[in-house]
Amino acid sequence: MFGLNTQLFNLFFLLLLSLELFSYSVQSMRFDLPYGKGKLAGRCFSEHIKKSTMVVGNYSIVNPNEGHPLPANHTIIAQVSTHGGRAKYHVAERVQAGQFAFVAYESGDYQICFIDTTEDRQVTLSIDFDWRTGLPAVDRSNIAKKSHVDKMVQEVQIMHEIALAIKEEMSYLLQRNREMLEINWVIDNRMFMLIFVSFFVSFSVAGLQLWHLKSFFQKNKIL
């Protein structure tokens, strides 16, 4: 019975995971733009997007000659809007690449159109287009504001100053420690020399006393 419940739980988890993955839509494509003027020279793509869903897109003209820049006249017009063009979210004129991102304010069909602005009949532009939908909108209340960043920068500066002060104090203590070691070394050497001189003087005095006593006894014929 426990094994059956575990299998049902795993199946339910995989089902939720699959729904979550399929709710995230990614379209990556490459297509050619027909030559011409006006809207007939372009291509449009549309998709139904739910409210409060983030949409991200990237597009660029494919360079047929790698290692060389695109000619300056190879440009396009890119426009993102609701179906019918009531609201425009992105408009870029005579560009070679671009990107856009917006949050759908209502559910409905949204479209992006690319129009060839290259005035050369012998040139066919190819477009790389990456269109991502299904991303949940970000809660902007949790985004770091400039005031928060400034406060954080100030705190980091204070911590940096404290760290510098600690470093200077440690450097001073290390310097004092080296000076104390040098002083101790000098004192130890002087003490060693003083002890050596003291022993030398003591033995010298003792030797002179013995020599004097011996001379005195010999003079008085005691020895």
Side-chain angles (χ1 to χ4, degrees):
M1 186 67 179
F2 178 76
L4 181 60
N5 291 334
T6 303
Q7 292 179 357
L8 290 175
F9 175 78
N10 293 334
L11 181 61
F12 180 72
F13 176 76
L14 292 175
L15 180 60
L16 289 178
L17 182 61
S18 300
L19 290 174
E20 182 67 21
L21 292 176
F22 280 112
S23 64
Y24 178 77
S25 175
V26 179
Q27 297 183 20
S28 182
M29 64 186 74
R30 176 177 293 187
F31 57 90
D32 295 335
L33 287 180
Y35 175 79
K37 291 185 177 181
K39 293 185 178 180
L40 296 177
R43 286 194 175 182
C44 296
F45 304 91
S46 63
E47 184 171 348
H48 185 80
I49 300 174
K50 295 181 180 181
K51 183 180 178 180
S52 300
T53 298
M54 179 175 288
V55 181
V56 179
N58 293 277
Y59 56 88
S60 61
I61 300 176
V62 178
N63 190 351
N65 298 319
E66 295 184 1
H68 298 81
L70 278 170
N73 64 334
H74 287 196
T75 57
I76 60 174
I77 296 176
Q79 179 176 299
V80 182
S81 62
T82 57
H83 189 68
R86 294 192 308 274
K88 296 181 180 180
Y89 291 89
H90 173 77
V91 177
E93 296 183 357
R94 296 188 177 277
V95 296
Q96 295 180 336
Q99 58 185 4
F100 59 87
F102 65 91
V103 177
Y105 74 95
E106 64 178 358
S107 300
D109 292 332
Y110 292 75
Q111 67 178 6
I112 178 169
C113 294
F114 299 96
I115 301 173
D116 183 2
T117 56
T118 302
E119 298 179 357
D120 189 348
R121 294 180 179 274
Q122 298 180 354
V123 174
T124 300
L125 297 183
S126 296
I127 308 297
D128 270 338
F129 177 45
D130 186 35
W131 167 279
R132 302 169 185 265
T133 60
L135 299 171
V138 179
D139 185 4
R140 299 185 182 275
S141 61
N142 295 327
I143 298 178
K145 298 181 180 179
K146 186 177 184 299
S147 59
H148 299 163
V149 176
D150 293 340
K151 185 177 180 180
M152 184 179 297
V153 170
Q154 184 179 4
E155 292 179 356
V156 171
Q157 290 177 349
I158 294 174
M159 294 177 64
H160 180 67
E161 293 175 358
I162 294 174
L164 290 178
I166 294 174
K167 181 180 178 182
E168 292 178 357
E169 185 69 19
M170 292 181 64
S171 299
Y172 173 75
L173 292 176
L174 290 174
Q175 180 66 25
R176 292 291 298 169
N177 185 42
R178 285 193 293 267
E179 293 176 357
M180 291 299 298
L181 290 175
E182 292 176 359
I183 293 173
N184 290 336
W185 183 80
V186 172
I187 293 175
D188 290 341
N189 287 337
R190 290 179 179 178
M191 289 295 295
F192 177 77
M193 292 297 298
L194 182 60
I195 292 173
F196 178 78
V197 171
S198 298
F199 275 108
F200 178 77
V201 172
S202 297
F203 284 120
S204 297
V205 171
L208 288 174
Q209 289 179 348
L210 290 175
W211 178 78
H212 178 71
L213 289 173
K214 182 179 179 181
S215 298
F216 176 78
F217 289 149
Q218 289 177 351
K219 184 177 181 181
N220 294 299
K221 296 182 181 180
I222 298 175
L223 292 178

